[in-house]
Amino acid sequence: MSIFSIATSGLSAASLRVSVAASNIANVRTTGPLPASGGSSTSAGAGSSSIGPTFPAAYVPLRVDQVSQSSGSTPGGTIATVSAVSPSFTAQSDPGAPFANQDGLVAAPNVDLAGEFVELTTAKYSFIANAKVIQAYSETTESLLDIKT
C-alpha cells in the first residue's frame, strides 16, 4: 500500500469521525418513548402499543470503530466502521413529554458530550496530520521529478 493511500484512508476515517460526532451532538436532546420492557404487560403494554406508532423512537447514538487495515502482503492504512452505541439510551425524567411513561420517564440518547468534543478534536488533528503526510509526499515526489541528470 502506498503512502498516499494510507494517508487518504486516515483522512476518510477522520472525516467519518467528525460526521458521527456532529450527528451525536446535534441529536443529544432527541428523546423518545422508553422501549417496552419485560415488566408488567397489562397497562404498560397497552400504553406502549398506542404510543409507539405515534412518536418516533429516541435517537440512537453512533460510534466509529477504527482498526488497522491488514489485508494482502502490504498492509497499511485504517478502516473505520460505524456502529450503534450500546446501551443506546438512558432513562431521563421529562414528565411534560407527551410520550413519557407513568413515572414521567423518556428515553434519552446515551451521548457523552465531553467525549464527543474529544472525538471532534482528535479527528481534527488526525485529519491535519494525514493532510501533512499527503503534502510532504507530493512535495517529495515533485522534487524527485525535478532532479536533473
Side-chain angles (χ1 to χ4, degrees):
M1 189 169 240
S2 74
I3 294 171
F4 184 74
S5 59
I6 291 171
T8 55
S9 73
L11 288 173
S12 177
S15 177
L16 186 60
R17 284 184 177 280
V18 168
S19 295
V20 167
S23 177
N24 287 345
I25 291 168
N27 290 295
V28 73
R29 295 191 181 264
T30 308
T31 60
L34 280 171
S37 62
S40 64
S41 60
T42 56
S43 63
S48 64
S49 65
S50 65
I51 291 176
T54 307
F55 298 104
Y59 171 75
V60 176
L62 303 172
R63 72 168 193 245
V64 176
D65 300 312
Q66 189 172 340
V67 294
S68 166
Q69 184 174 350
S70 57
S71 63
S73 61
T74 56
T78 186
I79 298 174
T81 56
V82 177
S83 59
V85 171
S86 180
S88 65
F89 70 92
T90 59
Q92 186 178 53
S93 177
D94 188 3
F99 45 81
N101 69 5
Q102 295 171 322
D103 300 324
L105 298 175
V106 298
N110 187 15
V111 174
D112 174 23
L113 277 177
E116 295 302 325
F117 281 103
V118 168
E119 282 294 322
L120 284 174
T121 305
T122 304
K124 172 186 170 183
Y125 288 113
S126 174
F127 195 91
I128 290 170
N130 283 293
K132 291 285 187 183
V133 168
I134 292 172
Q135 181 181 13
Y137 176 76
S138 173
E139 290 171 358
T140 305
T141 304
E142 184 179 321
S143 67
L144 285 173
L145 293 175
D146 286 343
I147 295 175
K148 295 182 181 180
T149 57

